[in-house]
């Protein structure tokens, strides 16, 4: 039988089974809506079942686009189809129709070679469009007469890879399950225990390998990781949007995507931070600064505080306050929890003063001896006592502590003994709540030292208040249309529901949240595995924050120390890892460049040599046929030249994405110039934006068909690690690179001319 027709029969059977499984999941989900007995437990079980079946339906939908893509024929005559998910035929025999790409039996599809066939005789690549087979290509891994005659020995896999690499970019990363290469597969399937660091130059697939590793680990360790989830940390929000569909398309939802700026619940830090300030805030010694900032809020007055209580005078003596602080410190509890001990000791001392007043019966006359609980309770609610204790060991949230530190020269001086004044000045700012990503690890450090405020965190109180306010607005809106509803016969129900009841009903509806939702809202959540992309950008203090998210130290960290942009980032993996995990980490390297064609790497390699002479540039697997070009014009002509070059690029190529990469502060002016000829040019990368103008730091982790690089000398001069950022900019293109400039080109770009 014709191979294409043969595969069409098998594929049609798979899609029939997929449709059957989806229909069953839809029925189960709909039935679950009526499964509750009305009790809280019943409602929880109902929501859990609905969530479970909804996830199944989502996984079936995600697999539908390209359900199967390969087949293995083994030495023993067995044939195995490889695809996005596992499928059995639904009978009692449970015959396998399709094997999940993550299953051990699917591994030879990615790792078998003619030198080491792993028992595979033939590897077949199947190209489909939904449920229709469009093409079939065979690789014979063990030479036989048929393979030699067809010249099929090991060629189809390379063709599939090159076809994927040369496809136009869309602004959204796709998965690579059809074309995973052997060195990538080794990392994807690596043991989950410990810290795995993946060093890879531009275009080696670090990001997509890390995401497929997340999918593999969730598949392989579902019971362990499903309840804890996987955290993926990326460099910026644009990057997260770019990769956002990869894991859902692989059928995985127990994943939290975050940047360092969003890793602290309730804070979305997107403002930039100056390089010198970022470097200071990223130091490990800043943990001591936060410690000192908390200590400053525990300083006690040296003189007694006298105040009126119940027609008498009480005194807060320094000796009493020192005793209370000593006991609070001895508890070794966080600041806010230790505050309860501090207050109890102080109130006990004040209660003794009340009991000791003339005319007050001694507490010893009552059962159990001197029990001051009632007096202490009354005093705790008294406004005069509150006012007297207001400045002593105050309750604090992390944002309050940090913003009040930044805004006070006095507090900064106390927290930074021995610091040079120029470093202290960098911490001081007039808008203390203007959070940057460099502040977030400091907020996390503060939260560790402070603990929650009271028995319920203020964030929870605020969330409850917002829910109640929304409920009140809802009822107001319903009541405003009372006359219309009376005509429909439903108005009589409005007076039966209060705002509080409606808020509770909404809470019950949201009681069952996914693992990802619960994890993202909980600062103290610990993940089963953490993946950090562009990990070289993290500061020493940021690593402390990340390590708290995964006490078991099950992590995958991917990056390239030659591409470090952040002033607080690292140039050495050992330097970054040793303070936190010592020597308990292992290094893997990706050496093949799948993105950047050889013509462009020839220009970028001297830049790499200037950054890190000991690093070797990854080897490009292809050429594009387009030589990089440069154009020098006058400074006044440069904006028009950029716009004209962008317009020519669009006219020459009907598909693909063009990025115009600029130095800091130049995005607006360049975008304005480009829009004169290309009106739809955007300042945001992503799906639907064919032409984008970005600052170089925002392009990290992204890729485009064409890149126009503007004024390389400014990039080097205006950024803390300018050479690294230039290297990033040069290696974003998959096909074409042009450089426009008015100043002299840097020496490292001599090969570009």
């Amino acid at each position: 039988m014709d191979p294409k027709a043969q595969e069409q029969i098998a594929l049609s059977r798979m899609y029939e089974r997929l449709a059957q499984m989806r229909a069953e999941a839809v029925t189960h989900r709909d039935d679950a809506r009526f499964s509750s007995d009305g009790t809280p437990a019943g409602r929880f079980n109902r929501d859990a079942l609905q969530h479970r079946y909804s996830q199944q339906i989502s996984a079936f939908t995600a697999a539908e686009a390209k359900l199967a893509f390969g087949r293995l024929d083994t030495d023993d005559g067995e044939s195995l189809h490889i695809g996005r998910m596992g499928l059995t035929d639904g009978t009692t025999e449970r015959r396998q129709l399709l094997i999940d790409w993550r299953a051990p039996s699917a591994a030879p599809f990615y790792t078998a070679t003619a030198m080491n066939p792993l028992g595979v005789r033939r590897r077949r690549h199947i190209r489909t469009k939904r449920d229709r087979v469009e093409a079939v290509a065979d690789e014979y891994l063990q030479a036989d007469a048929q393979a030699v005659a067809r010249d099929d020995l090991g060629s189809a896999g390379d063709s599939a890879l090159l076809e994927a690499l040369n496809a136009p970019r869309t602004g959204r990363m796709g998965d690579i399950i059809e074309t995973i290469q052997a060195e990538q597969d080794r990392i994807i399937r690596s043991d989950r225990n410990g810290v795995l660091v993946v060093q890879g130059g531009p275009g080696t697939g670090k990001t997509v390998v890390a995401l497929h590793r997340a999918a593999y680990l969730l598949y392989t360790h579902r019971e362990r990781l499903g309840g804890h989830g996987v955290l993926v940390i990326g460099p910026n929000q644009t990057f997260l949007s770019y990769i956002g569909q990869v894991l859902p398309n692989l059928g995985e939802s127990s994943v939290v995507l975050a940047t360092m700026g969003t890793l602290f619940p309730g804070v979305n830090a997107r403002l930039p931070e100056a390089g010198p300030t970022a470097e200071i805030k990223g130091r490990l010694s800043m943990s001591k600064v936060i410690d000192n900032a908390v200590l400053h809020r525990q300083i006690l007055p040296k003189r007694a505080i006298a105040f009126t209580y119940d027609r008498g005078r009480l005194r807060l003596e320094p000796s009493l306050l020192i005793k209370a602080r000593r006991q609070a410190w001895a508890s070794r509890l966080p600041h806010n929890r230790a505050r309860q001990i501090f207050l109890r000791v102080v109130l006990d001392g004040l209660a003794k003063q009340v009991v000791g007043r003339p005319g007050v019966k001694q507490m010893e006359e009552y059962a159990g001896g001197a029990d001051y609980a009632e007096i202490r309770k009354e005093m705790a609610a008294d406004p005069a006592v509150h006012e007297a204790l207001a400045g002593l060991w105050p309750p604090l949230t992390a944002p309050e502590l940090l913003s009040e530190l930044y805004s006070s020269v006095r507090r900064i001086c106390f927290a930074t003994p021995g610091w040079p004044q120029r470093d202290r000045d960098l911490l001081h700012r007039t808008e203390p709540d203007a959070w940057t990503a460099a502040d977030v690890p400091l907020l996390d450090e503060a939260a560790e030292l402070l603990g929650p405020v009271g028995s319920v965190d203020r964030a929870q109180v605020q969330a409850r208040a917002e829910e109640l306010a929304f409920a009140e607005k809802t009822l107001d809106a319903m009541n405003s249309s009372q006359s219309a509803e009376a005509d429909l016969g439903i108005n009589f129900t409005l007076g039966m529901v209060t705002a509080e009841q409606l808020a509770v009903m909404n809470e019950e509806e949201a009681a069952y949240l996914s693992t990802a939702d619960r994890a993202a809202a909980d600062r103290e959540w610990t993940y089963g595995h953490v993946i950090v992309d562009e990990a070289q950008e993290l500061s020493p203090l940021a690593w402390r924050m990340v390590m708290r998210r995964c006490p078991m130290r099950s992590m995958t960290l991917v990056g390239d120390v030659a591409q470090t942009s952040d002033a607080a980032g690292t140039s050495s993996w050992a330097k970054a890892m040793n303070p936190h995990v010592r020597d308990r980490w292992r290094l893997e390297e990706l050496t093949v460049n799948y993105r950047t064609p050889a013509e462009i790497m020839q220009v970028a390699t001297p830049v790499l040599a200037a950054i890190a002479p000991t690093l070797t540039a990854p080897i490009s697997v292809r050429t594009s046929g387009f030589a990089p070009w440069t154009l020098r014009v006058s400074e006044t002509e440069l904006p028009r030249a950029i716009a004209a070059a962008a317009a020519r690029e669009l006219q020459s190529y009907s598909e693909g994405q063009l990025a115009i990469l600029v130095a800091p502060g130049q995005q607006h002016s360049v975008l304005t110039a480009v829009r004169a000829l290309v009106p739809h040019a955007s300042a945001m990368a992503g799906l639907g934006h064919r032409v984008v103008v970005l600052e170089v730091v925002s392009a990290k982790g992204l890729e485009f068909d064409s890149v126009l690089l503007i004024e390389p000398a400014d990039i080097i001069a205006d950024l803390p690690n300018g050479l690294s950022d230039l290297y990033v900019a040069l290696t974003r293109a998959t096909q074409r690179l042009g450089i426009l400039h008015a100043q002299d080109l840097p020496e490292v770009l001599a090969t570009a001319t």
Side-chain angles (χ1 to χ4, degrees):
M1 182 185 294
D2 173 62
K4 184 177 176 182
Q6 183 186 40
E7 295 303 336
Q8 183 63 64
I9 293 172
L11 187 66
S12 297
R13 189 178 182 192
M14 294 174 202
Y15 271 95
E16 289 173 4
R17 176 58 180 149
L18 182 66
Q20 180 185 0
M21 294 170 67
R22 181 192 287 105
E24 292 172 355
V26 170
T27 299
H28 290 320
R29 182 198 62 189
D30 293 344
D31 289 345
R33 293 176 182 173
F34 308 102
S35 63
S36 173
D37 59 5
T39 65
R43 289 192 293 270
F44 180 86
N45 289 335
R46 173 201 64 195
D47 293 343
L49 285 172
Q50 285 189 275
H51 178 74
R52 172 187 171 188
Y53 292 122
S54 294
Q55 280 194 313
Q56 288 183 5
I57 295 167
S58 296
F60 297 149
T61 301
E64 193 172 29
K66 289 187 177 182
L67 182 58
F69 54 81
R71 171 176 149 179
L72 292 176
D73 295 333
T74 63
D75 288 341
D76 57 10
E78 187 178 12
S79 292
L80 308 172
H81 280 92
I82 314 298
R84 290 181 174 272
M85 64 183 303
L87 289 176
T88 60
D89 62 3
T91 65
T92 55
E93 290 84 5
R94 295 180 60 82
R95 287 188 293 270
Q96 199 78 35
L97 300 179
L98 188 65
I99 294 173
D100 193 298
W101 66 275
R102 295 165 287 189
S105 54
F109 185 80
Y110 304 108
T111 57
T113 65
M115 294 292 293
N116 184 20
L118 301 176
V120 175
R121 182 177 58 84
R122 178 175 64 184
R123 174 166 49 210
R124 172 169 288 176
H125 298 265
I126 306 168
R127 194 174 72 206
T128 66
K129 188 172 184 179
R130 296 187 69 83
D131 61 350
R132 188 174 73 252
V133 176
E134 294 199 325
V136 171
D138 288 337
E139 271 183 283
Y140 287 87
L141 302 182
Q142 300 182 47
D144 56 23
Q146 187 181 35
V148 172
R150 294 184 181 179
D151 194 24
D152 283 340
L153 196 61
S155 61
D158 293 340
S159 298
L161 174 63
L162 291 174
E163 181 180 354
L165 295 178
N166 287 315
R169 269 41 187 177
T170 65
R172 179 172 287 172
M173 178 180 281
D175 63 68
I176 60 167
I177 57 174
E178 300 175 57
T179 58
I180 294 171
Q181 300 301 292
E183 74 167 3
Q184 296 173 330
D185 187 76
R186 183 183 70 251
I187 293 170
I188 290 170
R189 297 176 191 267
S190 180
D191 186 75
R192 79 177 183 93
N193 295 320
V195 176
L196 172 64
V197 176
V198 181
Q199 163 66 32
T204 54
K206 302 181 294 295
T207 298
V208 76
V209 165
L211 295 174
H212 284 66
R213 176 162 168 76
Y216 169 79
L217 293 174
L218 284 166
Y219 171 85
T220 308
H221 305 284
R222 181 75 63 188
E223 290 187 5
R224 290 187 178 184
L225 297 185
H228 288 272
V230 172
L231 172 63
V232 177
I233 302 174
N236 53 56
Q237 208 61 45
T238 301
F239 176 84
L240 294 187
S241 298
Y242 175 60
I243 69 169
Q245 289 303 307
V246 174
L247 286 165
N249 286 345
L250 294 174
E252 297 299 342
S253 61
S254 296
V255 179
V256 174
L257 300 181
T259 66
M260 288 305 299
T262 62
L263 207 51
F264 190 91
V267 170
N268 188 0
R270 294 193 178 190
L271 295 176
E273 186 77 88
T277 308
E279 189 277 325
I280 287 173
K281 290 182 177 179
R283 297 173 183 170
L284 280 177
S285 59
M286 281 298 296
S287 63
K288 182 61 177 176
V289 173
I290 300 301
D291 199 2
N292 288 341
V294 175
L295 180 62
H296 187 263
R297 310 309 290 270
Q298 298 169 357
I299 290 177
L300 303 175
K302 296 180 179 179
R303 296 182 180 180
I305 300 173
F307 62 97
T308 301
Y309 172 75
D310 192 24
R311 298 189 301 275
R313 298 287 287 175
L314 296 180
R315 289 173 62 85
L316 286 169
E317 298 289 350
S319 58
L320 172 61
L321 298 178
I322 291 171
K323 174 185 176 183
R325 185 174 64 180
R326 188 183 302 116
Q327 291 193 27
W329 282 349
S331 71
R332 306 183 69 84
L333 293 172
H335 172 88
N336 289 322
R337 291 180 62 191
R339 178 175 182 268
Q340 305 305 315
I341 297 173
F342 176 83
L343 291 178
R344 189 187 69 236
V345 176
V346 170
L347 291 174
D348 277 345
L350 293 175
K352 289 179 180 179
Q353 293 181 35
V354 172
V355 171
R357 286 176 178 173
V360 178
K361 288 188 176 182
Q362 296 302 303
M363 297 294 295
E364 285 82 1
E365 297 178 11
Y366 296 93
D371 181 7
Y372 303 103
E374 276 303 315
I375 294 179
R376 191 170 63 226
K377 184 177 179 182
E378 292 176 4
M379 297 181 74
D382 188 88
V385 177
H386 274 216
E387 184 178 352
L389 296 177
L392 304 177
W393 204 295
L396 292 166
T397 66
E400 287 171 346
L401 179 78
L402 204 58
S403 63
E404 292 170 8
L405 171 66
Y406 288 157
S407 63
S408 170
V409 173
R410 178 173 57 88
R411 286 183 174 138
I412 290 174
C413 287
F414 180 89
T416 57
W419 277 37
Q421 189 58 43
R422 64 178 181 275
D423 288 355
R424 288 174 172 164
D425 291 343
L426 291 174
L427 289 183
H428 182 254
R429 67 189 190 201
T430 56
E431 296 182 60
D433 294 334
W435 303 119
T436 71
D439 291 321
V440 172
L442 295 170
L443 289 168
D444 200 63
E445 201 75 25
E448 285 290 305
L449 296 174
L450 294 173
V453 178
S455 58
V456 180
D457 195 280
R458 288 182 185 175
Q460 297 176 3
V461 174
Q462 177 66 22
R464 171 65 179 168
E466 291 174 357
E467 188 66 48
L468 184 58
F470 178 76
E472 290 172 345
K473 289 180 181 179
T474 301
L475 287 181
D476 287 343
M478 294 169 69
N479 282 314
S480 68
S481 57
Q482 182 172 352
S483 59
E485 289 162 347
D487 294 338
L488 296 174
I490 62 173
N491 180 256
F492 73 94
T493 61
L494 292 180
M496 301 171 61
V497 181
T498 67
E500 290 80 4
Q501 290 169 331
L502 185 58
V504 170
M505 291 164 63
N506 289 338
E507 286 178 356
E508 289 179 354
E509 286 296 318
Y512 190 88
L513 298 174
S514 69
T515 296
D517 290 333
R518 287 182 285 126
D522 185 355
R523 190 194 70 83
E524 296 183 347
W525 187 275
T526 56
Y527 293 87
H529 194 78
V530 171
I531 291 173
V532 183
D533 203 346
E534 303 294 347
Q536 76 278 356
E537 304 295 346
L538 269 62
S539 70
L541 197 69
W543 280 118
R544 280 171 62 93
M545 180 179 185
V546 171
M547 294 294 169
R548 289 190 192 105
R549 295 329 189 247
C550 190
M552 297 301 293
R553 303 294 192 265
S554 175
M555 298 182 176
T556 303
L557 316 174
V558 300
D560 179 9
V561 291
Q563 297 186 57
T564 304
S565 298
D566 197 289
T570 190
S571 59
S572 163
W573 292 120
K575 184 178 178 182
M577 291 294 100
N578 289 346
H580 308 285
V581 292
R582 298 183 182 176
D583 59 351
R584 297 189 298 276
W585 60 281
R586 61 193 190 277
L587 179 68
E588 290 277 4
E589 290 193 59
L590 292 170
T591 60
V592 179
N593 189 335
Y594 301 99
R595 176 207 301 142
T596 317
E599 296 94 333
I600 295 177
M601 280 309 298
Q602 186 176 357
V603 175
T605 298
V607 182
L608 173 63
I611 299 166
T614 59
L615 290 180
T616 302
I619 301 170
S620 297
V621 298
R622 65 191 175 93
T623 59
S624 67
F626 301 99
W629 54 268
T630 65
L631 176 64
R632 184 169 189 172
V633 297
S634 69
E635 188 171 346
T636 56
E637 293 173 341
L638 186 58
R640 289 192 296 273
I642 296 169
R648 285 196 304 271
E649 188 72 24
L650 291 183
Q651 291 172 0
S652 301
Y653 307 100
S654 59
E655 293 183 296
Q657 287 200 312
L658 166 66
I660 303 167
L661 303 183
V662 300
Q666 298 180 10
Q667 182 185 34
H668 177 73
S669 60
V670 171
L671 180 61
T672 300
V674 170
R675 281 178 172 168
L677 296 180
V678 185
H680 61 274
S682 172
M684 296 288 293
L687 196 65
H689 297 156
R690 192 177 172 209
V691 180
V692 297
V693 179
L694 300 174
E695 292 188 2
V696 171
V697 291
S698 298
K700 189 173 287 285
L702 308 182
E703 61 183 23
F704 309 91
D705 297 86
S706 300
V707 167
L708 296 179
L709 177 58
I710 312 304
E711 211 62 271
D714 284 345
I715 293 173
I716 293 176
D718 295 347
L719 289 162
N721 293 312
L723 276 175
S724 295
D725 289 302
L726 177 60
Y727 185 55
V728 170
L730 290 169
T731 55
R732 296 308 94 195
T734 66
Q735 299 290 339
R736 300 173 293 279
L737 171 67
I739 302 173
L740 292 95
H741 61 107
Q743 305 174 49
D744 291 340
L745 284 178
E747 291 184 11
V748 291
L749 292 182
T751 58
T753 57

